[in-house]
Amino acid sequence: MKPAPFVRHVPRTLDEALKILTDVAGEDGRVLAGGQSLVPIMAFRLAKPAHLVDINEVEGLDKIADDGKTLTIGARVRHAAFHQPVTANPLGALLSYVARHIAHYPIRMRGTFCGSLAHADPSSEWCLTSATLGAVMVAKSVKGTRDIKAAEFFDGIMSTNLKEDELLAEMRLPLLPADAKFGFYEFSRRAGDFAMAASLVTYRLDGGKIVDARVGLGGAEASPRRIPEAEAELNGKAPSDAAFRAAGEAASAAIEPLEDHQTDAAYRRDLVKVVVRRALEHSLT
Amino acid sequence: MSAHTKGSGGDGMKWVGRSIRRVEDPALLRGRGRFTGDLPATHWVRFVRSPNAAGKIKSISAPDGAVVITAADIKGVKKITPMLHKFEYRPVGQPILADGEVRFVGEAVVAVVAATEEEAEDIADLVEIDIEDAEALVDSRVAIAAGARQIHAEAPGNVILKGEVKSPGFDAVWASAAKIVKIDARSNRQNATPMEPRAAHAAYDAASGRVTLHCTTQMPHLMRTAIADCLGMPESDLRVIAPDVGGGFGQKMSLCTEYVLVTWLARHLKSSVGWTEDRRENLIASFHSRDQYVTLEGAFDKDAKLLALRADVLSNVGAYSCFPTTSGVEPLMAMAEMPGPYDFQHYQCLARGALTNTCTMAAYRGVSRPVITFTLERLMDKAAKAFAIDPVDIRRKNLITTFPYKSAMGLEYDEASYRETMEMAVEAINLPAFRARQQLARERGEYLGIGFATFSERTGYGSPAFAARGMAITPGWETVHVTVDPSGYVEARIGSSPHGQGLRTTLAQIIADEIGVPPDMIKIVHGDTETAPYGWGTFASRSLVISGGATLIASRKIRAKLLKIAEHMLEAAETDIVLADGKAKVAGTDREVSIAAMAREAYTQTHRFKGEIEPGLSESGTYDPPGTFSNACHVAIVRLDPETGHVKLERYLVAEDAGRIINPMIADGQVHGGVVQGIGNALLEEIIYDESGAILTANLADYMPPTAHEVPPIELHHMETPSTQSVTKAKGLGEGGTIGPPAAIVNAINDAMAPFDVEIDTIPATPQRIRALLRNAERAP
């Protein structure tokens, strides 16, 4: 459980960090932010990066900004920053509720929002949040800046479309409508474990009917995504047990379930049905 | 919460029975503990382990200049070959490094030596082992099936041992039964998961040619005997020290090949050599346990009275046999103790151990009894259902109530409180109120369940009990040397090797009462073959009973001698002298002499004794008791989420009887820790192999011990039935906490699932397994 040899670089500015990333791109250079996922997999020698570009000393990466339309989250913003709402917009309450489900307190003090996205674990709460709410990832390199939509960012289990010389410098989440409702539910065997299925939902009510439904699902497939079949069961209907159940059933039927030793396909579908419905039920509380 | 209700106090004792603080804790809590891995070494070892479950080693390659040791380098080192002289046992040998063939994923093949752990791991990464893959036999039923590939030439059919018993007249009684109730139980594989993984540090002394081995072990003396045997060296050239040990739970009572190799390397390199395994190694390559299939049938008369039990135990013992207990430890424990706390006289059992291409099985806290208690208690609940009576009532009909009692296996049960602890638990949990709450909850679509487990547990047994297994190494007795030094302070050297049990505190309490000095003047010395008398270490819920008994015997001799010295110094009759508060006093007078003064006299003024009293103040006691049965009733209340299969423990209650309690706080701590491990067994912890013999649960995210979130407050109630089979009247309680939870919790889950008419008889009862049953059940969500 000792990592393979590596060189640690500690840039002080973003330009310096991007320069180093470019220099080491061909030699499996990796960005080190909170290290809560990368360091354990290095200890297991499942990853053996020759270079680590440690961004913990880089100025300006720890900012959270709300410009009235968008919430921008810097590369080094820790999970714990969201323990209290970061904005009065309903998005603040949503992120605060979701954050409490991420691992354990000491991990939340160190791990970062953008690090979770770059790591792209299928069960990550922030990946689910980004996919559900239509986040935009801002990738920077010495060549320039590239905006990547969440739907195009995730590329399977622990894989993204970030290039080797790119840093996920920040991510942008659209603020929610003032009357937006949200609900979240995740299932794991022990508190703080990786979610075996998780769902985040948002919608508005217009004349008592659901509009703009977003049903996101994480932990169930290779990448988190919105499930249009479930959203179709909700839009235009009043919130009801029947509608919520139908959405859960639709999501359960729509997925290509991940399988592992504690979750076969049938069980994953069971869980998806439940987490979607319970996320919707949570939206009413 | 503790309730001491029966036979406690009242005999004038002063220290025994009090919750004094553990003398062990200040150093550990302040980070001043000393563990094996803290020692500096000149060389560090990293083992390269087999990635294959089975096959011939074709070649091994290492980078140029690397120091690597393979089986070819240690030809003179003997294999570990544990022996049983009964039960058709087939001795199989385990080479210290895999020799020509590998038999499980994780088997050590190459030892890399370097200046640091990091460098050793870097080099190990570059070592390549080419193995000609053979079919892996993972499941015990597959391994013993006709035509299966043979794992060891010495063990045909992959059966390493077979025990059979059948009581006379069994068939006639069986035929007379009104009902036969049957369970096919499955216990999956677990790892004891001590917080400190295995570690060894061997240092060669050039002046004497001796080696000092520090290692994290439960039995330092036997490690010395065994390692000296393997290396063909005099035992006196090897000193074994168990410093602070971060949990053992049985995993650290077996000899591991790595400790032999580290000792060999220190002699070979004439230097110091360290090894600390990582968590992954501990999970795949230390020792596993509890991988059993148990089929159990009970024959009942028309009144639900148990007449006979018939059992078939198949234990997956892994690739090799563990030393010293052998792979008989699980199947033979199951065979001997299956009858449990119930009154019946006819029993048939077939117990087998199956060799497989998996990590070797060894003892883990409770040894088989969590599994057999789970099986038997599930059977009793099934029988209650078959007779349409309450689970508590069927136990009332069948628990043993008269003592001593001879079991169908011929074991003698001493006085216990099977029925009383159950009634205590039933009252404390308020069963009628629970049933009402359960009914209301069901009407709301919520599913609560309650489960009971009553069990007996043989503890503190000496060499006669172990001898019944026919072991080449038959443990049992303990010796304690108690010395009052010339300053009046007391030192007891013990052969037990406590590693978290608080024995330094409890033994001091026993000595304090006997010779009249406070515990803070008493030191307990253990864990070093140079300073402690030969002993068997700490395992099998034995140390407080056996080492405690030996301590009491030695202390009584000290007491007798102190009284003689006092008689001499105070010129009074021995019968008029009282020993207390560090003094000897002549009753009814103001004449007294301090124990310190008597001790000084015993060493420095012996001419005054005129040959009537031997010089010095040091006595020895040895104790080898027959064994005494502790007992308990555990109760679990669970909330089942039928849609996800998730089980939340709402309440856990233990009514425990371990005889006289020396220190109630320490006793409670033992039960708490055991229950937590039992919760892991019941719900969470499982080592999973795939068909190729690779482990899918090689880290603590996939192998899941319970965390604080999964453990409810544990409510304890004690009864004290003083043991007649133990000089201190204490019974053992180290393992009891672990034994009850799988039975109580899974009974509770089945109670919660009763409306759906499905049952689970597998541990751990994971949400996936529960959901698989409910998915196909009528009426279930």
Side-chain angles (χ1 to χ4, degrees):
Chain A
M1 292 243 186
K2 310 283 185 241
F6 60 87
V7 179
R8 175 170 166 249
H9 305 267
V10 190
R12 308 282 157 164
T13 66
L14 182 59
D15 286 348
E16 199 187 336
L18 298 180
K19 167 89 172 51
I20 297 168
L21 259 184
T22 301
D23 292 346
V24 302
E27 302 167 65
D28 195 12
R30 300 282 290 266
V31 175
L32 175 69
Q36 299 302 294
S37 299
L38 180 58
V39 171
I41 63 176
M42 286 170 62
F44 278 110
R45 298 195 173 214
L46 296 171
K48 299 178 191 176
H51 296 270
L52 287 186
V53 183
D54 182 341
I55 60 165
N56 283 284
E57 303 294 325
V58 175
E59 282 173 27
L61 293 183
D62 56 353
K63 296 209 169 73
I64 301 175
D66 172 1
D67 68 1
K69 282 183 171 175
T70 307
L71 187 72
T72 302
I73 298 167
R76 207 177 61 242
V77 174
R78 320 271 177 199
H79 306 312
F82 301 93
H83 280 161
Q84 299 300 323
V86 295
T87 165
N89 180 270
L91 183 61
L94 182 155
L95 295 174
S96 177
Y97 186 77
V98 170
R100 277 180 248 160
H101 294 80
I102 299 171
H104 301 278
Y105 189 82
I107 292 172
R108 295 199 293 270
M109 296 303 284
R110 189 75 194 159
T112 64
F113 195 120
C114 288
S116 283
L117 302 182
H119 185 62
D121 188 298
S123 57
S124 152
E125 288 83 358
W126 290 146
C127 293
L128 168 62
T129 305
S130 304
T132 308
L133 302 183
V136 173
M137 320 303 179
V138 181
K140 290 192 176 175
S141 72
V142 292
K143 292 174 207 144
T145 299
R146 197 162 67 99
D147 287 356
I148 313 168
K149 290 178 183 163
E152 282 125 39
F153 181 80
F154 298 112
D155 184 30
I157 298 171
M158 293 183 188
S159 181
T160 70
N161 287 320
L162 269 184
K163 299 201 173 107
E164 281 178 327
D165 62 349
E166 285 179 326
L167 170 71
L168 178 54
E170 59 188 40
M171 65 90 67
R172 296 190 208 117
L173 279 170
L175 294 183
L176 297 173
D179 59 348
K181 293 188 169 295
F182 77 88
F184 177 82
Y185 190 86
E186 78 169 40
F187 180 78
S188 63
R189 288 180 62 189
R190 295 178 305 182
D193 279 349
F194 292 104
M196 293 157 71
S199 180
L200 174 67
V201 299
T202 64
Y203 59 88
R204 288 191 305 116
L205 290 177
D206 186 354
K209 301 279 167 56
I210 294 171
V211 292
D212 301 337
R214 288 173 180 257
V215 176
L217 187 63
E221 298 182 297
S223 297
R225 65 176 177 112
R226 287 172 64 181
I227 308 291
E229 294 86 343
E231 293 169 358
E233 294 290 343
L234 297 167
N235 281 323
K237 291 182 189 151
S240 70
D241 184 53
F244 291 175
R245 278 179 192 278
E249 298 278 357
S252 175
I255 60 166
E256 281 182 46
L258 285 179
E259 293 191 66
D260 59 45
H261 61 267
Q262 57 171 331
T263 327
D264 59 22
Y267 184 45
R268 189 83 72 187
R269 288 189 196 279
D270 283 353
L271 291 177
V272 166
K273 188 163 59 179
V274 176
V275 298
V276 168
R277 197 195 76 231
R278 290 186 183 173
L280 286 161
E281 287 168 358
H282 175 239
S283 73
L284 299 179
T285 58
Chain B
M1 186 180 83
S2 291
H4 296 267
T5 57
K6 192 175 163 183
S8 63
D11 46 8
M13 284 199 148
K14 193 173 170 193
W15 291 102
V16 166
R18 282 168 57 175
S19 290
I20 64 168
R21 295 208 177 161
R22 292 173 14 126
V23 300
E24 292 88 346
D25 289 339
L28 292 172
L29 295 177
R30 293 182 173 120
R32 291 177 189 149
R34 287 165 300 170
F35 295 86
T36 301
D38 294 333
L39 295 167
T42 304
H43 302 278
W44 289 90
V45 182
R46 176 77 184 176
F47 289 94
V48 185
R49 299 180 178 278
S50 175
N52 299 54
K56 296 260 185 292
I57 299 170
K58 282 158 64 184
S59 66
I60 295 169
S61 67
D64 288 343
V67 180
V68 294
I69 307 296
T70 68
D73 301 305
I74 54 167
K75 285 291 180 202
V77 179
K78 275 189 233 153
K79 294 177 179 181
I80 298 172
T81 311
M83 188 61 202
L84 272 188
H85 297 294
K86 287 184 179 176
F87 306 110
E88 300 179 35
Y89 180 78
R90 312 287 179 197
V92 299
Q94 178 174 18
I96 302 306
L97 291 168
D99 192 1
E101 186 177 356
V102 295
R103 295 188 176 85
F104 69 97
V105 166
E107 182 167 6
V109 181
V110 177
V112 173
V113 184
T116 65
E117 287 184 279
E118 290 80 355
E119 285 171 69
E121 193 164 341
D122 289 345
I123 297 165
D125 242 9
L126 301 171
V127 171
E128 286 181 10
I129 307 167
D130 187 13
I131 293 167
E132 187 180 321
D133 213 6
E135 181 207 5
L137 296 167
V138 175
D139 183 88
S140 53
R141 287 179 169 173
V142 173
I144 63 165
R149 190 178 58 80
Q150 202 162 314
I151 294 171
H152 290 272
E154 300 84 356
N158 297 321
V159 176
I160 190 169
L161 86 159
K162 186 167 117 179
E164 283 183 280
V165 291
K166 188 175 182 181
S167 54
F170 177 89
D171 291 334
V173 171
W174 194 262
S176 75
K179 258 193 203 354
I180 306 288
V181 180
K182 183 180 177 186
I183 175 173
D184 285 308
R186 171 73 171 131
S187 168
N188 286 288
R189 179 175 285 243
Q190 278 145 359
N191 180 299
T193 327
M195 201 181 300
E196 180 202 26
R198 296 175 301 160
H201 177 285
Y204 178 81
D205 176 46
S208 63
R210 298 177 80 219
V211 173
T212 299
L213 171 69
H214 283 77
C215 59
T216 179
T217 179
Q218 296 171 231
M219 33 173 33
H221 279 95
L222 198 64
M223 288 301 118
R224 183 172 77 151
T225 299
I227 293 169
D229 274 356
C230 282
L231 298 181
M233 64 188 282
E235 273 203 49
S236 54
D237 279 354
L238 180 60
R239 174 183 186 180
V240 176
I241 297 174
D244 282 322
V245 170
F249 313 114
Q251 188 181 87
K252 292 181 185 165
M253 71 176 281
S254 289
L255 174 65
C256 44
T257 54
E258 291 90 344
Y259 292 5
V260 179
L261 193 85
V262 168
T263 309
W264 180 87
L265 272 172
R267 282 160 58 94
H268 177 70
L269 298 170
K270 299 196 171 3
S271 185
S272 60
V273 180
W275 171 67
T276 304
E277 80 176 344
D278 63 32
R279 183 58 62 187
R280 180 171 183 277
E281 289 179 290
N282 185 268
L283 283 167
I284 70 171
S286 58
F287 295 99
H288 290 167
S289 64
R290 313 241 203 281
D291 183 345
Q292 293 184 27
Y293 291 98
V294 184
T295 297
L296 184 66
E297 293 170 281
F300 292 83
D301 75 8
K302 61 178 174 38
D303 299 319
K305 175 81 186 67
L306 185 60
L307 302 172
L309 276 185
R310 182 157 74 189
D312 183 337
V313 178
L314 180 61
S315 179
N316 185 334
V317 306
Y320 297 101
S321 188
C322 57
F323 178 95
T325 57
T326 80
S327 46
V329 65
E330 280 199 1
L332 297 179
M333 173 73 88
M335 183 166 82
E337 300 205 17
M338 185 72 80
Y342 297 113
D343 171 29
F344 64 94
Q345 285 298 313
H346 292 279
Y347 178 51
Q348 182 177 5
C349 182
L350 168 65
R352 287 169 296 174
L355 289 158
T356 60
N357 295 117
T358 61
C359 180
T360 303
M361 173 274 286
Y364 170 28
R365 197 174 192 176
V367 183
S368 264
R369 287 162 298 187
V371 180
I372 60 177
T373 299
F374 165 68
T375 309
L376 181 57
E377 290 299 280
R378 285 292 304 129
L379 184 87
M380 294 309 279
D381 271 25
K382 284 173 191 284
K385 192 174 165 190
F387 283 98
I389 59 176
D390 191 89
V392 170
D393 285 330
I394 197 161
R395 290 174 172 83
R396 284 186 178 122
K397 282 175 189 287
N398 287 293
L399 286 169
I400 297 165
T401 53
T402 54
F403 302 93
Y405 180 88
K406 193 162 256 189
S407 82
M409 271 298 286
L411 300 187
E412 187 159 305
Y413 292 18
D414 57 336
E415 180 93 10
S417 56
Y418 305 125
R419 178 78 189 265
E420 293 86 344
T421 47
M422 186 181 75
E423 300 296 353
M424 184 187 230
V426 167
E427 192 180 320
I429 205 89
N430 195 349
L431 186 57
F434 172 78
R435 290 291 180 206
R437 188 160 76 88
Q438 181 183 40
Q439 190 51 43
L440 285 172
R442 277 181 190 168
E443 287 161 16
R444 291 194 305 271
E446 295 173 21
Y447 297 90
L448 306 178
I450 191 166
F452 290 83
T454 52
F455 60 90
S456 64
E457 180 202 359
R458 182 155 58 153
T459 69
Y461 42 103
S463 58
F466 278 107
R469 293 191 201 162
M471 297 156 73
I473 302 285
T474 299
W477 48 272
E478 281 299 336
T479 294
V480 172
H481 298 318
V482 178
T483 299
V484 185
D485 68 27
S487 68
Y489 280 73
V490 181
E491 182 180 84
R493 299 178 176 222
I494 66 172
S496 281
S497 196
H499 45 280
Q501 293 83 359
L503 207 61
R504 275 152 65 186
T505 306
T506 47
L507 294 187
Q509 288 178 268
I510 290 170
I511 296 169
D513 278 348
E514 207 55 38
I515 65 180
V517 299
D520 60 9
M521 289 180 68
I522 302 167
K523 283 193 179 60
I524 308 295
V525 175
H526 61 81
D528 182 346
T529 56
E530 210 90 315
T531 56
Y534 202 99
W536 294 98
T538 289
F539 60 96
S541 302
R542 67 190 300 273
S543 289
L544 188 61
V545 177
I546 306 181
S547 215
T551 298
L552 183 63
I553 290 165
S555 300
R556 282 176 178 165
K557 292 181 188 171
I558 294 278
R559 177 187 173 82
K561 188 159 181 179
L562 281 171
L563 286 172
K564 274 206 178 124
I565 295 170
E567 184 180 47
H568 172 84
M569 290 177 77
L570 294 170
E571 294 175 343
E574 191 182 313
T575 47
D576 292 335
I577 296 171
V578 179
L579 273 182
D581 304 326
K583 292 171 193 152
K585 295 179 194 173
V586 181
T589 73
D590 58 359
R591 281 152 58 212
E592 60 178 47
V593 57
S594 71
I595 286 175
M598 288 192 284
R600 184 62 62 112
E601 188 99 346
Y603 291 94
T604 65
Q605 299 293 320
T606 55
H607 55 284
R608 293 185 184 167
F609 297 159
K610 297 169 189 137
E612 290 162 11
I613 304 172
E614 288 209 355
L617 197 44
S618 188
E619 297 289 348
S620 177
T622 294
Y623 192 44
D624 190 9
T628 175
F629 282 79
S630 292
N631 65 277
C633 177
H634 287 212
V635 190
I637 291 179
V638 302
R639 176 178 289 270
L640 170 71
D641 177 349
E643 290 187 304
T644 61
H646 184 71
V647 172
K648 181 176 168 50
L649 265 175
E650 285 206 336
R651 195 170 168 194
Y652 202 91
L653 184 146
V654 176
E656 160 91 23
D657 188 341
R660 170 173 284 153
I661 297 295
I662 307 298
N663 182 316
M665 178 190 71
I666 288 176
D668 287 0
Q670 286 276 359
V671 178
H672 284 145
V675 167
V676 172
Q677 286 187 307
I679 290 169
N681 290 180
L683 296 173
L684 290 160
E685 294 181 34
E686 180 173 4
I687 295 280
I688 303 173
Y689 282 93
D690 69 12
E691 284 178 2
S692 77
I695 294 193
L696 304 177
T697 50
N699 60 60
L700 291 178
D702 291 322
Y703 185 78
M704 300 184 168
T707 73
H709 289 278
E710 286 72 48
V711 178
I714 298 163
E715 186 179 330
L716 302 187
H717 300 261
H718 291 288
M719 274 195 177
E720 293 192 24
T721 305
S723 174
T724 54
Q725 305 299 311
S726 156
V727 288
T728 58
K729 301 184 174 64
K731 302 180 177 187
L733 52 54
E735 295 168 281
T738 321
I739 295 173
I745 292 169
V746 179
N747 275 341
I749 294 169
N750 281 296
D751 185 46
M753 293 199 300
F756 310 122
D757 205 24
V758 291
E759 294 186 17
I760 185 162
D761 295 321
T762 299
I763 47 175
T766 61
Q768 179 174 225
R769 293 193 171 106
I770 290 170
R771 219 13 245 172
L773 292 165
L774 292 173
R775 190 179 305 124
N776 299 314
E778 282 182 44
R779 299 189 300 275

